[in-house]
Amino acid sequence: MFEVRDKDLAGRIGRLKTRHGVIETPYLFPVVDPRRQEVSLDELRSLGYNAIITNAYFLWKNRREEALNRGIHSLLGFDGIVMTDSGAYQVLQYGSIDVSPREIVEFQSSIGVDIGVILDLPTGASKDKKYAEHTVKETLRRARDASRIAVQGETLWVLPIQGGRFLDLVERSAAEASRIPGYSIFALGSPTPLMERYVFSLVVEMIHRARIHLDPSRPLHLFGAGHPMLIPIAVAMGVDLFDSASYILYARSGRYLTEHGTHRLDELSYFPCSCPVCSKHSPEELREMDAYERTRLLALHNLHVVRRVLGEVKQAIREGRLWELVEAYARSHPALYKAYQAMAGKGSWLEAMDPRVKGIVKGIFLYDCLSIMRPEVTRYRLFIKNTYTPRIPKDRILVLLPGDPEDKPFTASSIYYEARSLYGEAHYVFYTPFYGVVPQELDSAYPLSQYEAPVNPCRSVVREMVRDIGSYVERFQSAYKGIYAAYSPRLKWSLNACRSLSAKYNVRCVKL
Ligand SMILES: [Zn+2]
C-alpha cells in the first residue's frame, strides 16, 4: 500500500496506493470546501494536486442524501483521490458536533472516500494534562471501535495521535495506536495555536516522539501544517503527508506565501516569484482587481509555492541533501532556526534512520556548529571512536597532520608531501574540523574528501576535534614508537590542537 522509494534523514519519497490512483509523498492535500471554492478542482489537478481533502461532517450535515446516492467523487466532480476529515476541527471550535463517531465513519465509507479519518477527540492546544489524557484515551477507544469497519473495504483509514504539548502522552498515544489493526496512515494533530505562534520547535519534538513509536512502513500525516517554510523540516523528521487550507485562507486575507515567510499583498512592490501568476501580474495589478479574482490568483500562487517546495524536498532526498535544505530554510525565521536546533539535537536518532547508501552521492556542505550533528559526520566519528583500529607495522611513528578543508584529498595535499619528505614511512593521521581524525588509509572514503567547509569553523567544532584527537592518542599511543603533531600557521585551529596535545600527552609539536 505504501512503498518507500528513497530516504534521507527520517524523510522519504514514497508511493501511497489508493482506489483512485497513487499519491507520491511527501504530499500536501489542499483543503477543498464545495460551498466556496475560488480555485476549481480542475485547476488544482493541473497544478499537480491529484488528491484533495474535504470535510465529511459538512457533507453529512448539509448534503447527506445526495452524497450517499451519488458518491463523493461524482458530488465533487473530481475523479482524483479524495480524503475526508471527520469534523474533529469543528469539535475543537464548537466543543461538540451532532454526529456519533461510528455514524461519521460509516458515512465516509458509504460515500466511497479513498482516505477517511475517524472522529478523534483533538487535544488541540490544551494546557490541562488531565484533559489531554482524556483525549488520548477517548481517541484510542474510538479507534478500536472503528477498527472493525477499518479492516474491511477499500478506504484507507487514518488514526490520529493525540497528546498535544504533553510529549509523554504523544508517545503513549503513538505506541498504543500502532497496535490497533485496520489503519494505513497515522496522523499527528499539530495544535494550530502553536503554529500561529511559530512554536515550531515543539512541533519537531512532537513529530519525533510520535515517529519513534510508529510503524515506519505506514505514512505519517501532519494535520493543518501548510506553511511551505515548515515542510522541509517536518519531512526530515518523518512526516509524509500534510493538509492545509492556508493557500486559500491566506489568499482571502491578502497574504502571499513564500518559502521563507508570508508577505501582505499591500506591502509588496515586486513579486519574488516567477510562477505564471507572478510572471503575468504586478502586485499593483492584483491590488486593483476585484476581491474574488485577487483571491483566486493569490491562492494559485500559494499553491505553486507549496508545489515548488515539495519538489525541492524530493530532489534533496534524492541527492541526500535534505539536511542542507533544512539548514538553508532555518535562516528564514529565528523560530525555524530553533526548530532546526531541536532537529540537530536528534542527531543520533536521525543517524539510525538515515540510509548508508544513497542513489545519487554528492559532496556534503558543512557550515557551522550544528552541521557536525548531521548523520554522515556523526556516523563517521562513531566509527572512529568505537570500531577503528590502526593496522600498522611495529616501530612506526605517528604523525598527526592538519587536514586543510581547502586542500583535499588530504593525502594529496602540500602539507602531506612536506611531512613525507621529513618523516618518510610513518602512519599519517589527519586531524580536521567536523570529522575529527582521518587516518591516511581512510582518506578516500566517502564523504571525507567530498565536502566543503569553512577553513576556520566555529569554536565548538574545533573543541570537538581536539577531543577526538585526544581520545585517538589515548587509545593508540602504545602502538607507536613516537608521536609528532604538526601545525600550520595558516590553519589557526591547528596550533591550539598541537599545544593541547603536547601539554597532555607525550607528543612533539612541530611547525610545517
Ligand atoms: Zn508566484
Side-chain angles (χ1 to χ4, degrees):
M1 206 172 314
F2 183 62
E3 183 194 338
V4 174
R5 289 285 177 96
D6 216 326
K7 268 198 81 185
D8 191 22
L9 307 177
R12 53 265 184 99
I13 297 175
R15 285 167 61 82
L16 179 66
K17 288 195 191 93
T18 76
R19 254 189 305 194
H20 284 80
V22 173
I23 297 172
E24 189 183 66
T25 69
Y27 181 80
L28 181 141
F29 296 85
V31 174
V32 161
D33 183 349
R35 299 167 305 176
R36 187 181 176 192
Q37 190 61 34
E38 290 91 338
V39 179
S40 75
L41 299 183
D42 285 342
E43 276 175 308
L44 284 175
R45 224 185 171 151
S46 68
L47 287 174
Y49 295 94
N50 65 332
I52 52 127
I53 182 168
T54 191
N55 189 305
Y57 173 66
F58 285 142
L59 291 174
W60 182 87
K61 204 168 167 57
N62 305 314
R63 296 171 77 178
R64 197 178 321 167
E65 286 310 312
E66 196 190 349
L68 285 168
N69 291 336
R70 293 175 60 187
I72 184 94
H73 292 84
S74 152
L75 184 137
L76 293 173
F78 185 67
D79 64 354
I81 300 154
V82 178
M83 176 174 178
T84 47
D85 192 2
S86 55
Y89 185 70
Q90 284 65 42
V91 174
L92 263 185
Q93 279 191 313
Y94 311 118
S96 66
I97 53 174
D98 51 356
V99 65
S100 78
R102 189 175 296 186
E103 271 175 305
I104 197 74
V105 165
E106 279 167 356
F107 176 68
Q108 289 176 86
S109 178
S110 310
I111 62 175
V113 306
D114 299 295
I115 303 172
V117 185
I118 62 158
L119 181 62
D120 53 322
L121 188 60
T123 313
S126 176
K127 286 182 182 161
D128 178 349
K129 189 157 185 185
K130 270 242 159 67
Y131 178 74
E133 210 165 351
H134 167 66
T135 64
V136 168
K137 280 191 189 153
E138 179 59 17
T139 299
L140 288 167
R141 189 193 67 74
R142 292 177 185 184
R144 285 189 198 99
D145 189 50
S147 171
R148 277 185 296 275
I149 302 172
V151 290
Q152 307 157 3
E154 290 175 282
T155 300
L156 306 181
W157 288 95
V158 179
L159 202 175
I161 307 298
Q162 305 301 346
R165 67 178 71 232
F166 302 102
L167 299 176
D168 56 324
L169 291 181
V170 171
E171 284 200 47
R172 206 169 95 197
S173 181
E176 294 202 19
S178 296
R179 289 194 279 270
I180 305 174
Y183 295 92
S184 316
I185 300 166
F186 297 110
L188 183 65
S190 61
T192 316
L194 293 182
M195 307 295 271
E196 282 168 359
R197 294 201 328 264
Y198 279 41
V199 196
F200 302 143
S201 52
L202 184 55
V203 178
V204 163
E205 296 289 348
M206 288 167 61
I207 300 169
H208 173 242
R209 296 297 186 93
R211 239 323 164 203
I212 50 181
H213 293 284
L214 294 172
D215 174 1
S217 71
R218 285 181 264 178
L220 177 63
H221 184 113
L222 184 62
F223 275 127
H227 200 297
M229 71 187 212
L230 197 67
I231 292 176
I233 194 166
V235 172
M237 292 302 295
V239 171
D240 305 286
L241 299 165
F242 301 83
D243 71 283
S244 180
S246 308
Y247 77 97
I248 189 70
L249 298 179
Y250 278 50
R252 283 179 194 150
S253 60
R255 283 176 293 171
Y256 177 96
L257 292 176
T258 78
E259 289 86 339
H260 306 294
T262 310
H263 296 289
R264 303 205 64 86
L265 179 63
D266 295 344
E267 293 162 358
L268 281 176
S269 307
Y270 304 95
F271 282 139
C273 169
S274 53
C275 79
V277 173
C278 302
S279 310
K280 265 186 231 136
H281 304 280
S282 70
E284 207 182 332
E285 278 168 39
L286 246 68
R287 282 195 286 269
E288 281 162 11
M289 280 176 192
D290 71 88
Y292 185 86
E293 189 58 11
R294 179 172 58 240
T295 300
R296 221 179 76 72
L297 292 177
L298 279 177
L300 286 172
H301 156 82
N302 291 344
L303 287 161
H304 272 290
V305 177
V306 169
R307 200 190 146 187
R308 194 161 65 219
V309 173
L310 289 170
E312 206 177 5
V313 167
K314 284 189 254 189
Q315 185 60 26
I317 292 175
R318 267 284 146 77
E319 295 183 353
R321 286 180 177 279
L322 189 53
W323 185 289
E324 283 158 32
L325 188 70
V326 172
E327 213 165 14
Y329 270 64
R331 300 283 166 182
S332 313
H333 194 285
L336 208 52
Y337 190 81
K338 207 173 151 197
Y340 163 56
Q341 284 178 309
M343 178 185 108
K346 315 276 174 272
S348 48
W349 175 69
L350 288 170
E351 194 274 323
M353 302 292 288
D354 201 61
R356 272 130 222 269
V357 183
K358 299 228 164 81
I360 304 172
V361 176
K362 293 224 171 175
I364 64 174
F365 295 164
L366 302 168
Y367 298 93
D368 58 22
C369 316
L370 292 177
S371 302
I372 198 170
M373 307 299 288
R374 47 185 292 174
E376 296 90 338
V377 179
T378 305
R379 186 176 305 140
Y380 173 74
R381 292 177 67 217
L382 284 173
F383 164 75
I384 290 291
K385 198 174 146 209
N386 302 327
T387 314
Y388 175 79
T389 308
R391 307 208 182 281
I392 40 157
K394 272 193 178 146
D395 296 341
R396 278 281 153 96
I397 56 162
L398 167 65
V399 180
L400 292 161
L401 295 175
D404 181 350
E406 288 186 350
D407 196 359
K408 295 190 301 277
F410 300 146
T411 47
S413 64
S414 53
I415 211 161
Y416 175 70
Y417 286 116
E418 210 176 314
R420 280 203 73 109
S421 70
L422 279 171
Y423 299 101
E425 283 303 315
H427 189 217
Y428 294 93
V429 171
F430 302 92
Y431 62 95
T432 192
F434 295 104
Y435 294 117
V437 295
V438 179
Q440 62 183 128
E441 67 274 21
L442 296 182
D443 182 41
S444 59
Y446 176 81
L448 300 173
S449 51
Q450 297 85 353
Y451 74 100
E452 297 300 329
V455 176
N456 289 304
C458 63
R459 262 192 231 161
S460 68
V461 169
V462 173
R463 261 201 309 275
E464 287 290 312
M465 177 195 74
V466 171
R467 200 172 301 159
D468 286 0
I469 328 168
S471 108
Y472 183 92
V473 170
E474 186 124 16
R475 280 162 62 215
F476 303 122
Q477 54 188 347
S478 60
Y480 298 101
K481 203 170 75 178
I483 305 176
Y484 293 86
Y487 70 90
S488 156
R490 205 179 88 75
L491 303 164
K492 281 187 235 156
W493 42 265
S494 66
L495 179 59
N496 295 345
C498 229
R499 278 185 184 147
S500 105
L501 280 174
S502 62
K504 244 176 137 180
Y505 307 99
N506 191 12
V507 170
R508 257 221 261 152
C509 199
V510 290
K511 181 178 160 188
L512 269 189

